[in-house]
Amino acid sequence: MKTYLNLRKTWPLHVFLLPSVILLIIFNYIPMVGFMIGFEDFKPWLGVFKSPFVGLKHFKFMFHDPTALQVIWNTLFIAIFKIIAGSIVPFSFALFLNEVRVVLYKRTIQSLIYLPHFINWVILGGILTDMLSTNGLINQFLGWLGFGNIAFLQSGNWFRTTLVTSDVWKEFGFGTIIYLAAMAGINPNMYEAADIDGANNWQKAVHITIPAVIPIAIVIATLSLGNILNAGFDQVFNMYNPLVYPKGDIIDTYVYRVGLQQGSFSLATAVGFFKSIIGFILIATTYKLASKYANYKIF
């Protein structure tokens, strides 16, 4: 009875919510039926429900295929380094920027570092490809300093470094603003008390600022682990080439190439399904960790 009365009061809110629920079902839940392709020898002319069922054939092939295993390792390697660098850099930069007392200067820096977040990887990939090519601006500058050319986009190890560095450069402004917002919530009386005790800026940062921001850092880092298999399709797809496939190819680009370009729909779906299962387990695990160590709860 109580639920019915509450529903009578809140039904307009449910009506507003309805379009979002319908779109979610149409574009997120109904396409999940397609995961069945991973258990079939999919024939487009037979459709999803009439193609021959082959069980775990494509999953077994995936775990015995050196290329697929290399792709999974590449994804983990690139994603882990992105998470580590993407956590340390904005946290450190926010600590230094928090000490800037000239408001106009501080806001100008915030705007400049936040700007790359809004640039699409299609545009940014093209700019970086031109700048990092063997005849690009960066190599010309290195040559002017007396160094030799560096194959940023032709060498596998340099390509991984380029991916991590460019991703951190693009997104660290966004992370910095989150940490600055957390620092703005620290009680100023704590700093005033520290001033009375004669603490310098470094001591205040170590004993007040960093402990106050650590819970936010734990939440961001643990939730990032849930996306550990998302190494960045847009970035890699717009910057990679066949020369760096052995060390730069990730699960998403492998699924695109094998599934859409080579027509192996079942194998590509099996790899994508494997990624989704692992991602779901990681998200559930990291949510538990964030709840336990940072008291972060949604439900």
Side-chain angles (χ1 to χ4, degrees):
M1 187 64 183
K2 186 178 179 181
T3 304
Y4 175 72
L5 292 175
N6 287 335
L7 189 61
R8 285 189 61 183
K9 294 179 181 176
T10 59
W11 69 267
L13 300 177
H14 292 276
V15 171
F16 280 120
L17 188 64
L18 192 59
S20 302
V21 174
I22 293 173
L23 289 175
L24 186 71
I25 293 172
I26 293 175
F27 292 106
N28 290 75
Y29 283 90
I30 293 179
M32 284 186 185
V33 178
F35 83 91
M36 293 171 58
I37 295 174
F39 300 91
E40 301 172 341
D41 270 340
F42 179 68
K43 311 293 182 189
W45 55 91
L46 295 176
V48 175
F49 298 104
K50 293 185 179 179
S51 295
F53 183 78
V54 295
L56 299 176
K57 171 187 170 183
H58 300 294
F59 291 90
K60 292 177 181 176
F61 178 82
M62 177 181 71
F63 286 111
H64 288 88
D65 179 18
T67 303
L69 294 178
Q70 181 64 42
V71 165
I72 294 172
W73 166 246
N74 291 343
T75 306
L76 289 172
F77 188 90
I78 293 170
I80 288 172
F81 275 91
K82 279 186 177 180
I83 291 173
I84 294 174
S87 300
I88 294 174
V89 173
F91 185 81
S92 306
F93 195 82
L95 283 176
F96 288 109
L97 195 59
N98 191 50
E99 298 300 324
V100 176
R101 293 293 174 257
V102 182
V103 177
L104 179 62
Y105 181 59
K106 185 176 180 179
R107 289 181 178 175
T108 302
I109 293 176
Q110 285 182 26
S111 301
L112 289 175
I113 62 174
Y114 192 32
L115 191 61
H117 175 74
F118 297 101
I119 304 176
N120 192 285
W121 272 117
V122 176
I123 299 172
L124 203 55
I127 295 172
L128 290 174
T129 300
D130 286 339
M131 291 181 66
L132 298 173
S133 65
T134 51
N135 297 320
L137 184 65
I138 302 298
N139 270 316
Q140 289 184 19
F141 180 71
L142 291 175
W144 181 71
L145 294 176
F147 296 100
N149 273 2
I150 296 177
F152 292 105
L153 302 177
Q154 290 80 30
S155 166
N157 291 330
W158 274 109
F159 183 71
R160 286 176 172 176
T161 305
T162 303
L163 287 178
V164 174
T165 306
S166 57
D167 183 74
V168 170
W169 169 73
K170 184 177 183 296
E171 300 296 341
F172 90 99
F174 182 76
T176 300
I177 288 176
I178 293 176
Y179 288 121
L180 285 174
M183 292 173 187
I186 300 174
N187 189 347
N189 292 335
M190 299 175 69
Y191 291 109
E192 292 174 3
D195 288 333
I196 294 172
D197 290 339
N200 56 34
N201 288 343
W202 172 252
Q203 289 171 326
K204 285 188 283 186
V206 170
H207 296 289
I208 299 175
T209 308
I210 292 178
V213 181
I214 283 294
I216 299 296
I218 292 174
V219 170
I220 294 174
T222 51
L223 293 182
S224 298
L225 292 175
N227 291 318
I228 198 167
L229 292 183
N230 289 324
F233 171 80
D234 291 345
Q235 181 192 18
V236 178
F237 182 73
N238 285 291
M239 293 178 67
Y240 82 158
N241 59 74
L243 292 174
V244 293
Y245 279 173
K247 292 193 174 180
D249 202 12
I250 61 173
I251 292 176
D252 290 334
T253 52
Y254 177 78
V255 168
Y256 169 79
R257 202 172 59 255
V258 172
L260 295 182
Q261 293 186 338
Q262 300 177 10
S264 300
F265 301 108
S266 297
L267 177 60
T269 304
V271 176
F273 185 64
F274 168 76
K275 175 194 167 188
S276 299
I277 295 296
I278 299 298
F280 175 76
I281 294 171
L282 288 172
I283 287 174
T285 305
T286 52
Y287 179 73
K288 285 290 183 184
L289 291 174
S291 174
K292 182 177 181 179
Y293 294 106
N295 197 28
Y296 175 80
K297 292 183 179 179
I298 297 176
F299 305 106

